[in-house]
Amino acid sequence: MAVSDTPNGAAFTPPPPPTPEYGITKPISLAGPTDADFNRNLELEKFLVDSGLYESDEETATRQEVLRRLDQVVKSWVKQLTRLRGYTDQMVEDANAVIFTFGSYRLGVHGPGADIDTLCVGPSYVNREEDFFMLLHNILAEMEEVTELHPVPDAHVPVMKFKFQGISIDLLYASISHLVVPEDLDISDGSVLHDVDEPTVRSLNGCRVADQILKLVPNVEHFRTALRCLKFWAKRRGVYSNVTGFLGGVNWALLVARVCQLYPNAIPSMLVTRFFRVYTQWRWPNPVMLCSIEENELGFPIWDPRRNPRDRFHIMPIITPAYPCMNSSYNVSASTLRVMMEQLRHGNRICDEIELNKAQWSALFQPYLFFEAYNNYLQVDIIAVDADDLLPWKGWIESRLRQLTLKIERDTNGILQCHPYPHEYADTLKPCAHSSFFMGLQRKEGVKGQEGQQFDIRGTVDEFRHEINMYAYWKPGMEIYVSHVRRKQLPAFVFPDGYRRTRIPRHMSHLAEKADEDATKCYSGSAERCIKRKNDTEIMDVKPSKPEKRASVSPQRLECFSPESCTSRSGGTSQMSIDCIEGVRLDGSTMKDSDSICEIKSSDSLVGSAICAERPDLQISETGGVDSTFDRQKSRSPDVQNEVSLLNQWSNLQSGCFGSCEVP
């Protein structure tokens, strides 16, 4: 260390350089790991390896080879176009395109079998509509290494999906205002956004956001391990899906990065437990931001609820750090936020037990038993003639399933809540190409219904069905059917072992069998029979031989809506009415279910769940508020109690960092 003399002859030691600060607020804690934290970290890393979350060296090499080959293909494609445009031989020689990666691969958290998000940056005279989606598409289609080629030009971010040597690729295109794209192009430089349209900005920002995240975290390797862990957790608990209204890869990355900023000296095991501790107390809709929102003379719209009225209705804003800063989680609804908050509280309880040596890491990653959680479900069956037609048809419907959730809650004034499950299922015994999605249904917690009250969602489903029918690339045989099924009527193919976990009572077996038979009626014949259903006015009509006496659930019919106008067997309007919906059974709850009585006794995991969906800020208080997970102070160590106290104080402060974003 340098030492200099002062004028009076005394030695002067310069102060150490300031510790870099990350984020828009000061960290919650600068504490480093203890011996116990190091031990838990070793156990966590071993668990991740044993769970198969890391790819082999062979697959890593294959990915690198695929990216090298793809880079060659796009360079050759641009040179071919340059020649066709009549440019000089020198221009043809200089013509270039560059491949960038983003998403999980760029962040270094991809696992075996994961796709690679890629961006091709080309010169100004190569366009997306004709050159990319037509000429490059045809080049790829003729290559033996390329399979399952599927362009999606009308997506919010236009993309071409395919497999290259068995590796799934999502390829975007951005044409920048350069005649020649340099090989060392710095995509984080704001100049790449000059003279480009908004689809191009969205395409470029996948890479720009990934690069910014890696620059804004204190320790990249700790961030990667924690993110890999929490993505695995989110998938196991059924809350990983941006398209369904939960959170996708970039959302989880931003949330984890913010926790890394708040605990800059924490190792992965600490970051995971602090992740749950922070976000069970976060005062949504206050935004998660890694840096201040930047304004620019380029004039692209940025997320700002003070100026943009639409931004005020975002209930879980997670803001991207690269200009133009946008809310990456605008798909989140009140329903999906409620589900995620319940899962975060569940994870927080497990982490408390792990820190007290009362549980192992494996307990955190137990799968969520979705088909045991509700008494009522919506089943959405998607059918096509073959697998090639099913892929785009399913993608279209899946991207709009969240609209069905919003419509149901709108038309029932939020009393009937939906839990869309982001996994698809298929019955391998059926001959038609098909896929099924499910939604859990329940009455809003704390809202009592009148005896015999029904939720009539016929019009809601019919509206959704008509919107689905607007698919521009519809072909004969593409069908969608929506049916209301009770837990005991769920098809066997949704269960891991192919059968229900609980035995169906004898008096219900004939009803369940009939429901299963009718629900798969369209699958039972050849592909031609499935196509024929397009003009078939007969719909599924399943009801008991005599009305059930139980007050909780008594579905009058199970309806299946076809893309054509839906009429009942008697020629009237189709019906989908759901009786008084019961509550949800979560971990630790007990339930009695018989013909004459339905009794639900829930654990404290349900306390305040309905309140948090409407007013997430109500779950914060010095003593834990309505979130019972913070009432158990006696079981915590003094260090954890102090940290929770600091976190409560910090949560009150952070709500003012963008105070005007509160939804009015």
Side-chain angles (χ1 to χ4, degrees):
M1 180 179 293
V3 177
S4 59
D5 292 334
T6 60
N8 60 9
F12 171 74
T13 302
T19 303
E21 290 189 1
Y22 298 87
I24 59 175
T25 62
K26 291 183 178 181
I28 294 174
S29 173
L30 296 174
T34 64
D35 290 342
D37 290 320
F38 279 119
N39 291 333
R40 279 192 289 268
N41 195 68
L42 290 174
E43 293 170 356
L44 177 61
E45 291 181 344
K46 182 180 184 303
F47 176 83
L48 298 180
V49 171
D50 293 344
S51 298
L53 299 187
Y54 295 87
E55 68 180 6
S56 64
D57 293 341
E58 181 180 358
E59 187 172 359
T60 299
T62 301
R63 289 181 186 274
Q64 294 171 350
E65 173 62 18
V66 164
L67 289 173
R68 187 187 67 81
R69 288 279 291 114
L70 185 59
D71 188 62
Q72 291 177 341
V73 170
V74 298
K75 282 176 165 52
S76 174
W77 162 64
V78 168
K79 290 182 183 296
Q80 179 182 343
L81 278 169
T82 307
R83 187 176 291 105
L84 290 174
R85 298 283 194 274
Y87 288 99
T88 64
D89 292 343
Q90 185 61 47
M91 275 290 293
V92 173
E93 183 179 345
D94 294 340
N96 191 33
V98 182
I99 290 290
F100 293 90
T101 62
F102 62 101
S104 62
Y105 187 82
R106 175 69 184 93
L107 293 175
V109 295
H110 62 285
D115 60 359
I116 307 179
D117 295 310
T118 57
L119 168 70
C120 174
V121 178
S124 57
Y125 55 87
V126 177
N127 65 60
R128 180 186 297 108
E129 290 75 18
E130 296 179 1
D131 300 333
F132 180 74
F133 278 113
M134 293 181 67
L135 183 57
L136 181 59
H137 172 274
N138 294 338
I139 292 173
L140 292 171
E142 294 175 358
M143 298 178 61
E144 292 183 359
E145 307 101 306
V146 176
T147 59
E148 301 181 21
L149 181 60
H150 174 50
V152 192
D154 55 347
H156 185 64
V157 181
V159 61
M160 196 137 57
K161 296 173 175 287
F162 54 93
K163 285 188 176 181
F164 198 116
Q165 294 182 12
I167 302 294
S168 295
I169 302 289
D170 283 1
L171 180 62
L172 314 182
Y173 179 71
S175 173
I176 62 175
S177 58
H178 289 63
L179 282 176
V180 178
V181 178
E183 191 67 25
D184 59 350
L185 175 69
D186 181 7
I187 203 169
S188 62
D189 193 322
S191 63
V192 299
L193 302 180
H194 284 282
D195 298 324
V196 298
D197 57 15
E198 287 194 25
T200 299
V201 172
R202 291 193 290 267
S203 299
L204 288 165
N205 263 18
C207 299
R208 289 162 49 80
V209 167
D211 288 347
Q212 280 294 101
I213 290 174
L214 295 176
K215 292 177 182 177
L216 292 172
V217 294
N219 187 304
V220 171
E221 288 306 316
H222 291 171
F223 161 75
R224 285 172 171 160
T225 302
L227 177 56
R228 190 184 297 271
C229 173
L230 286 159
K231 285 180 62 176
F232 182 50
W233 171 84
K235 292 175 181 178
R236 298 283 281 181
R237 303 301 294 179
V239 290
Y240 187 96
S241 174
N242 179 61
V243 70
T244 312
F246 295 105
L247 301 181
V250 66
N251 310 127
W252 291 108
L254 291 168
L255 292 182
V256 173
R258 185 67 181 118
V259 173
C260 291
Q261 293 179 338
L262 295 174
Y263 298 91
N265 297 320
I267 58 177
S269 63
M270 298 170 64
L271 292 172
V272 169
T273 58
R274 272 59 172 182
F275 179 91
F276 292 104
R277 201 168 292 164
V278 166
Y279 291 115
T280 51
Q281 297 197 88
W282 195 273
R283 290 176 178 242
W284 304 111
N286 288 296
V288 171
M289 298 186 294
L290 301 186
C291 58
S292 299
I293 293 179
E294 173 189 355
E295 298 198 34
N296 192 294
E297 68 277 1
L298 294 177
F300 290 108
I302 60 173
W303 186 83
D304 189 348
R306 296 168 298 189
R307 302 177 185 176
N308 307 324
R310 291 181 62 184
D311 293 346
R312 298 174 191 170
F313 296 97
H314 294 171
I315 66 174
M316 193 184 188
I318 303 172
I319 311 304
T320 56
Y323 176 82
C325 300
M326 301 299 294
N327 176 23
S328 64
S329 54
Y330 58 86
N331 280 352
V332 174
S333 67
S335 282
T336 51
L337 177 59
R338 171 184 59 84
V339 173
M340 284 188 284
M341 291 305 299
E342 288 174 354
Q343 293 303 327
L344 287 168
R345 286 192 289 271
H346 173 76
N348 192 51
R349 287 193 297 273
I350 300 298
C351 285
D352 281 350
E353 294 177 356
I354 290 173
E355 290 191 329
L356 293 171
N357 296 319
K358 294 181 179 180
Q360 301 297 318
W361 284 111
S362 57
L364 182 63
F365 302 95
Q366 290 298 311
Y368 177 60
L369 301 179
F370 174 72
F371 292 109
E372 296 183 10
Y374 296 90
N375 284 330
N376 295 272
Y377 297 85
L378 281 186
Q379 178 175 339
V380 180
D381 292 306
I382 304 166
I383 305 167
V385 174
D386 53 39
D388 290 337
D389 282 356
L390 180 66
L391 188 64
W393 177 233
K394 179 184 65 177
W396 165 260
I397 295 174
E398 185 180 7
S399 68
R400 281 149 183 81
L401 282 177
R402 65 186 182 89
Q403 296 298 328
L404 178 57
T405 299
L406 295 174
K407 292 176 188 298
I408 290 174
E409 296 196 338
R410 176 201 67 192
D411 293 347
T412 62
N413 296 318
I415 299 176
L416 182 59
Q417 296 179 327
C418 300
H419 178 175
Y421 200 53
H423 294 286
E424 61 177 290
Y425 297 86
D427 188 349
T428 57
L429 300 179
K430 305 304 177 184
C432 292
H434 73 286
S435 184
S436 298
F437 291 89
F438 293 83
M439 293 184 184
L441 300 174
Q442 73 168 3
R443 179 181 293 278
K444 184 177 180 180
E445 186 75 13
V447 177
K448 295 182 179 180
Q450 299 176 356
E451 185 176 355
Q453 179 185 2
Q454 294 181 339
F455 294 99
D456 187 347
I457 58 175
R458 291 173 296 179
T460 307
V461 173
D462 196 48
E463 177 187 343
F464 171 72
R465 183 170 50 81
H466 280 293
E467 291 181 1
I468 292 298
N469 270 343
M470 297 174 65
Y471 183 49
Y473 305 99
W474 184 90
K475 294 180 181 180
M478 292 181 174
E479 306 279 4
I480 176 174
Y481 299 93
V482 181
S483 56
H484 164 223
V485 294
R486 293 174 56 187
R487 176 155 39 93
K488 295 179 180 180
Q489 299 164 331
L490 287 166
F493 62 78
V494 303
F495 298 100
D497 300 322
Y499 58 87
R500 296 174 180 81
R501 292 176 178 270
T502 56
R503 183 169 58 88
I504 301 177
R506 291 182 180 180
H507 71 281
M508 287 293 294
S509 62
H510 71 283
L511 177 58
E513 289 171 2
K514 189 174 189 301
D516 191 47
E517 176 185 350
D518 287 355
T520 57
K521 193 173 183 180
C522 52
Y523 308 148
S524 60
S526 62
E528 288 77 9
R529 289 184 61 187
C530 292
I531 298 173
K532 192 174 181 180
R533 284 295 298 272
K534 185 72 178 176
N535 300 316
D536 190 354
T537 59
E538 181 175 330
I539 61 173
M540 285 190 279
D541 185 0
V542 179
K543 56 184 178 181
S545 57
K546 61 180 180 179
E548 292 185 325
K549 295 181 180 179
R550 56 181 296 170
S552 54
V553 178
S554 179
Q556 299 301 308
R557 6 172 120 230
L558 301 180
E559 294 298 340
C560 189
F561 294 87
S562 69
E564 294 300 320
S565 61
C566 198
T567 58
S568 66
R569 294 180 186 273
S570 59
T573 305
S574 62
Q575 296 184 15
M576 178 178 287
S577 58
I578 302 174
D579 278 350
C580 191
I581 299 299
E582 300 169 3
V584 60
R585 181 175 68 179
L586 296 182
D587 297 335
S589 65
T590 61
M591 179 178 296
K592 294 180 180 179
D593 193 359
S594 66
D595 289 339
S596 59
I597 186 170
C598 178
E599 178 182 352
I600 299 176
K601 296 182 180 179
S602 300
S603 66
D604 61 1
S605 62
L606 283 175
V607 176
S609 61
I611 297 175
C612 296
E614 295 291 331
R615 291 283 308 280
D617 55 301
L618 292 182
Q619 64 190 4
I620 309 300
S621 71
E622 289 297 326
T623 60
V626 299
D627 184 358
S628 60
T629 60
F630 287 92
D631 290 334
R632 297 171 295 158
Q633 299 292 343
K634 293 181 180 179
S635 64
R636 286 187 164 137
S637 67
D639 291 341
V640 173
Q641 292 182 40
N642 291 336
E643 185 179 345
V644 170
S645 177
L646 288 171
L647 183 53
N648 277 312
Q649 296 174 31
W650 175 86
S651 66
N652 290 324
L653 291 173
Q654 63 89 22
S655 65
C657 68
F658 214 91
S660 57
C661 74
E662 294 272 4
V663 176

